[in-house]
Amino acid sequence: MANHEVNITRLDAFTYRERIKDGDATVLIPVGALEQHGPHMPLYTDAMLSTKMAELTAEATDSLVGPTIWTGYKSQQRSGGGNHIIGSFGFDAAHVVETCRTLVREFTRHGVHKIAFINGHYENYQFVYEGVELAMRDIASAGDATPTVLLLSYWDFVTDQTIAELYPDGFPGWDVEHGGVMETSIMLEYFPELVQMDKVMDLPPAELPLYDLFPVDPSLTPESGCLSSAAASSADKGRMLTKSVIDGLSQVVNERLR
Ligand code: ZN
Ligand code: MN
């Protein structure tokens, strides 16, 4: 069984060293968050989905999966409902930056030179970017071999065709997908026991302003905490979305990291 395990956090150190010893290993690092996802999904949704996408891509590309970063940047009202909502745990940017920077440095020290961050929490992106950027600087100034590092958010790999099929009434945009059809459908496909469709609050998509406001005006976030309704979710849609994502991710990993 351990032979087919792609996630290094479930391997013993001897097996891990064996898997990376030829210096040709690719490691995919999921980046999630601990964040409220309405009344129908768990706090760990972003971490679970990014980990699942990384594991499926690793299986398709003969790669490994690194530890899931669950300490995501603060939920923002226009993409995650807002960090004022109890259930969301917002880490400062410096924490996300340093965690990503450390992982790139440590994998490089281990002899892993091909790394991809698979982001699953909208707000993380620029801070993961900064962590990678600083790690590249650290590695260059230490005179070590520069790794190849990819950074992406998995939903960007859902094709336009899949979007057109799954959102016949119009696509609301990935920012307001928080707790909506995409995340809920993929959770229904892989973790159905953790989704409570009978608790979905079928509300219209959030109408958010073109600016951020401090302090947050809580009335701008729908009562559900989700930014669009998950009512039209299904495991079938989850399967289609996942296929689209894994095809796209596998292609880019094979092209750049294998
Ligand atoms: Zn989410
Ligand atoms: Mn999120």
Side-chain angles (χ1 to χ4, degrees), residues 35 37 46 178 183:
E35 181 186 34
H37 276 74
D46 290 355
H178 177 72
E183 289 188 321

Side-chain angles (χ1 to χ4, degrees), residues 36-100:
Q36 66 80 25
H37 276 74
H40 69 291
M41 286 204 295
L43 304 184
Y44 213 46
T45 294
D46 290 355
M48 295 177 76
L49 292 179
S50 55
T51 304
K52 177 55 76 177
M53 296 302 138
E55 288 176 354
L56 293 171
T57 305
E59 284 163 15
T61 59
D62 193 22
S63 303
L64 296 168
V65 175
T68 299
I69 301 171
W70 62 269
T71 47
Y73 183 65
K74 299 168 189 105
S75 182
Q76 290 175 306
Q77 191 165 37
R78 293 197 288 151
S79 47
N83 201 51
H84 60 288
I85 305 175
I86 301 301
S88 292
F89 293 73
F91 284 77
D92 289 351
H95 191 98
V96 180
V97 170
E98 282 306 314
T99 302
C100 296

Side-chain angles (χ1 to χ4, degrees), residues 155 158-174 176-186 228-230 232-233 237-238 240-241:
W155 50 80
V158 177
T159 60
D160 291 345
Q161 192 195 330
T162 304
I163 290 173
E165 280 173 54
L166 295 193
Y167 298 87
D169 302 328
F171 179 56
W174 292 131
V176 295
E177 246 298 338
H178 177 72
V181 168
M182 179 197 67
E183 289 188 321
T184 305
S185 294
I186 303 175
S228 54
S229 174
S233 305
K237 290 183 182 178
M240 286 173 65
L241 285 158

